[in-house]
């Protein structure tokens, strides 16, 4: 059994390509679990970071420093009454959140966490990912239409107009990244996600820094468009709570609402991982040439463990800063346990057989985590756009910039 | 290869089963006592005035039409981008002509005011 797993870990293709459907299913389950954990963690982190940006404390009551708050929320949502408005279109109302979740999750099939750590790798990976992620508009419009209420309909219309407008800028930025993959000896590029990262490895540059500043501008266009595509602040007009209460999911409650929540956060993670794959070198570690050599290799391979040890240390510092009152005894013990678990994970990552294999996943996750922090930072910093400003940015700024960068990249690619 | 695409169906099947099952399982633990007021469309406590699926501004249709034009254009660019270096100067000029035609249309749309949202 152990040998079977080990032989699998050393294989050189993804399970989908090898036709190994058992391992593909295992990967799918792992992604499913990982995404759920990531969404729960993101929920807590967003509240905490946003609170500290606004000089508040955020959740503090449920568990030490509110660590159990997302779980308490999940239980609350599960046992909450599920209301469907009397005039709603029942079937469409029922199926809309499922469509949104399926589209948000299915993108992860082609996301490469490492050269072999993806469910499958197809030669149209980028197109697949663009197509599937744009399908979520369908679910949102269905949700707004089926609710038969003014706010959801307005929110759905706004949301679809916004997502549709920014998708063009997004697509143009992606084309210029695909164009860069073809600048090699054979003259043929690739649309496969793993292939794109490998061609960044071969060209020894992340595409965000290729043809400086052209790659950076294309990356910037994508970074703006992806915030608009996921309906997040400062482009969160569809759910502008001061005007539309909650946008397209006003009429949804309980577990169905939490499906929209899950879909929103996994869509954020999905577009961030696409940006990382296309422009920031996917699983590649930073400075492979400047900081090369066996010493640096060891240092970089120790980083995942060090990260987890530091997180555990932060938790242990929190233990000593807990109030010394019997009321907080359980919370203090819980926080200490959390810190010890994090530290043990860190120590596990130091083991040589794990150390070599975890690196790709670590760098990929670290880059995605950076984007997730940016999302929270935007929300804490920028005021919301007005709708006409939003359309103006999409159609009159990002679209011409996208086309211009594409043409300039093409000219540079032919001449250089 | 076709086997690359099989995991998509596994994934959709998994989520398509898992979520309805969870929704139905949650039915066992959650309360269910609807009333007329509770099932009304939410309108900040006021009785809904009319049927909500009414008419809305034509701008949304224009955005949808423009999206189709420009998105198809983007899709046309992908095969060229993949073969970009192999096609070389010929491909570049060809694509510049294609983009020029499109940009003329884009400027026309802009001057017509289809991109304004007032």
């Amino acid at each position: 059994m152990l040998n079977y797993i080990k032989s699998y870990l050393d294989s050189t293709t993804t399970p989908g390509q090898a036709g190994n459907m058992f391992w593909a299913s295992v990967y799918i389950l792992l992604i499913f679990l990982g995404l759920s954990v990531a969404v729960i963690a993101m929920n807590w982190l967003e509240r905490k970071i946003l609170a500290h940006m606004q000089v508040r404390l955020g959740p503090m009551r449920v568990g030490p420093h509110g660590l159990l708050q997302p779980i308490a929320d999940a239980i609350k949502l599960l046992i909450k009454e599920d209301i469907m408005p009397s005039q709603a279109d029942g079937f469409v109302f029922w199926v809309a959140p499922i469509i949104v979740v399926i589209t948000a999750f299915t993108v992860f099939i082609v996301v490469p966490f490492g050269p072999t750590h993806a469910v499958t790798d197809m030669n149209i990976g980028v197109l697949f990912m663009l197509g599937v992620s744009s399908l979520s508009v369908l679910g949102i419009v269905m949700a707004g239409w089926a609710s038969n209420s003014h706010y959801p309909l307005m929110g759905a219309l706004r949301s679809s107009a916004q997502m549709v407008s920014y998708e063009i800028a997004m697509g143009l930025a992606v084309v210029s990244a695909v164009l860069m993959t073809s600048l090699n000896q054979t003259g043929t590029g690739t649309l496969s996600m793993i292939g794109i990262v490998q061609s960044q490895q071969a060209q020894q540059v992340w595409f965000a820094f290729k043809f400086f500043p052209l790659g950076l501008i294309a990356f910037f266009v994508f970074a703006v468009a992806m915030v608009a595509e996921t309906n997040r602040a400062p482009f969160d007009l569809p759910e502008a709570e001061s005007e539309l209460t909650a946008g397209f999911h006003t009429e949804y409650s309980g577990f169905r609402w939490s499906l929209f929540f899950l879909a929103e956060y996994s869509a954020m993670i999905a577009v961030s991982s696409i940006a990382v794959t296309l422009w920031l070198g996917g699983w590649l570690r930073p400075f492979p040439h400047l900081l090369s050599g066996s010493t640096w290799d060891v240092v970089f391979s120790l980083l995942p463990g060090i990260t987890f040890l530091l997180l555990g240390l932060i938790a242990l510092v929190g233990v000593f800063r807990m109030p010394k009152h019997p009321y907080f005894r359980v919370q203090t013990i819980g926080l200490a346990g959390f810190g010890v678990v994090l530290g043990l994970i860190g120590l596990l990552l130091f083991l040589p057989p794990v150390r070599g294999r975890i690196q790709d996943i670590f760098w990929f996750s670290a880059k995605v985590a950076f984007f997730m922090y940016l999302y929270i930072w935007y929300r804490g910093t920028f005021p919301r756009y007005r709708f006409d400003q939003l359309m103006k940015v999409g159609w009159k700024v990002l679209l011409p910039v996208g086309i211009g960068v594409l043409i300039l990249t093409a000219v540079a690619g032919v001449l250089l | 290869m076709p086997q690359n695409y099989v995991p998509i169906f596994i994934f959709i099947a998994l989520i398509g089963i898992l979520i309805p099952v969870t929704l139905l399982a949650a039915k066992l633990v959650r309360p269910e006592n609807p009333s007329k007021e509770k099932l009304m469309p939410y309108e900040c406590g006021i009785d809904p005035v009319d049927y909500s699926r009414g008419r809305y501004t034509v701008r949304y249709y224009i955005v949808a039409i423009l999206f189709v034009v420009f998105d198809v254009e983007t899709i046309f660019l992908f095969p060229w981008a993949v073969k970009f270096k192999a096609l070389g100067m010929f491909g570049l000029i060809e694509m510049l002509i294609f983009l020029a035609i499109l940009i003329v249309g884009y400027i026309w749309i802009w001057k017509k005011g289809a991109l304004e949202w007032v």
Side-chain angles (χ1 to χ4, degrees), chain A residues 15-19 21 24-25 28-29 31-32 35 78-89 94 97-98 101-102 105-106 108-109 119-124 126-128 130 134 145-154 157-158 160-165 167-168 171-172 174-175 178-184 186-191 245 250-251 255-256 259 262 387-388 391-392 395-397 399-400 403 406-407 409-411 413-416, chain B residues 1-57 59-93 95-96 99-100 102-103 106 109-111 113-118:
Chain A
Q17 280 169 303
M21 288 315 143
S25 310
I28 287 168
L29 279 175
I31 285 177
F32 204 75
L35 266 182
L78 205 62
I79 59 175
K80 199 176 166 181
E81 186 176 356
D82 197 0
I83 298 167
M84 188 189 289
S86 51
Q87 288 176 325
D89 187 333
W94 205 83
I98 298 174
V101 171
I102 285 180
F105 273 31
T106 310
F108 282 92
I109 281 196
V119 178
T120 182
D121 183 41
M122 43 183 109
N123 50 6
I124 53 154
V126 175
L127 276 180
F128 173 80
L130 275 180
S134 69
W145 184 261
S147 299
N148 191 19
S149 172
H150 286 99
Y151 293 125
L153 188 67
M154 285 288 294
L157 286 173
R158 277 188 182 187
S160 55
Q162 170 183 337
M163 289 169 92
V164 146
S165 306
E167 208 172 294
I168 297 162
L172 284 170
V174 169
V175 172
V178 170
L179 195 146
M180 288 174 189
T181 62
S182 77
L183 301 175
N184 55 18
T186 55
T188 309
T190 175
L191 285 171
T245 54
T250 302
E251 294 292 354
F255 192 69
R256 263 185 256 259
L259 288 181
L262 192 68
F387 199 73
D388 61 321
M391 285 317 211
K392 200 175 160 190
W395 286 101
K396 293 188 178 176
V397 179
L399 177 60
I403 293 181
L406 178 63
I407 292 174
T409 316
V411 172
V414 164
L415 295 182
L416 298 180
Chain B
M1 283 204 278
Q3 67 199 27
N4 294 0
Y5 300 87
V6 178
I8 300 170
F9 300 107
I10 300 178
F11 208 129
I12 291 174
L14 185 81
I15 299 171
I17 292 166
L18 213 63
I19 288 168
V21 163
T22 328
L23 272 172
L24 292 176
K27 214 174 188 135
L28 301 174
V29 285
R30 69 184 176 221
E32 185 118 45
N33 39 4
S35 66
K36 188 169 170 290
E37 280 71 30
K38 210 187 261 178
L39 295 184
M40 246 196 249
Y42 177 78
E43 223 146 277
C44 303
I46 307 167
D47 284 0
V49 180
D50 59 352
Y51 194 64
S52 68
R53 288 173 195 148
R55 298 195 290 184
Y56 45 86
T57 172
R59 299 273 165 208
Y60 290 112
Y61 294 100
I62 295 177
V63 169
I65 292 166
L66 292 182
F67 163 72
V68 172
V69 175
F70 282 95
D71 207 43
V72 168
E73 168 236 342
T74 317
I75 295 301
F76 276 140
L77 289 176
F78 270 101
W80 164 72
V82 171
K83 274 284 181 191
F84 169 70
K85 193 72 176 177
L87 293 172
M89 193 54 103
F90 163 73
L92 177 68
I93 291 167
M95 206 32 87
L96 281 181
L99 280 177
L102 202 101
I103 289 168
Y106 176 68
I109 295 167
W110 190 322
K111 286 276 176 279
L115 305 180
E116 310 293 331
W117 193 285
V118 183

Side-chain angles (χ1 to χ4, degrees), chain A residues 40-100:
Chain A
I40 287 172
M42 184 64 194
N43 183 1
W44 180 78
L45 280 173
E46 178 164 26
R47 287 175 181 192
K48 276 312 234 195
I49 295 171
L50 212 56
H52 282 274
M53 279 177 181
Q54 297 163 350
V55 205
R56 295 183 284 122
L57 281 175
M60 285 298 275
R61 294 301 173 114
V62 190
H65 289 265
L67 270 172
L68 298 177
Q69 185 74 46
I71 294 160
D73 282 347
I75 293 170
K76 182 208 85 174
L77 286 167
L78 205 62
I79 59 175
K80 199 176 166 181
E81 186 176 356
D82 197 0
I83 298 167
M84 188 189 289
S86 51
Q87 288 176 325
D89 187 333
F91 176 71
V92 182
F93 192 83
W94 205 83
V95 89
I98 298 174
I99 286 182
V100 176

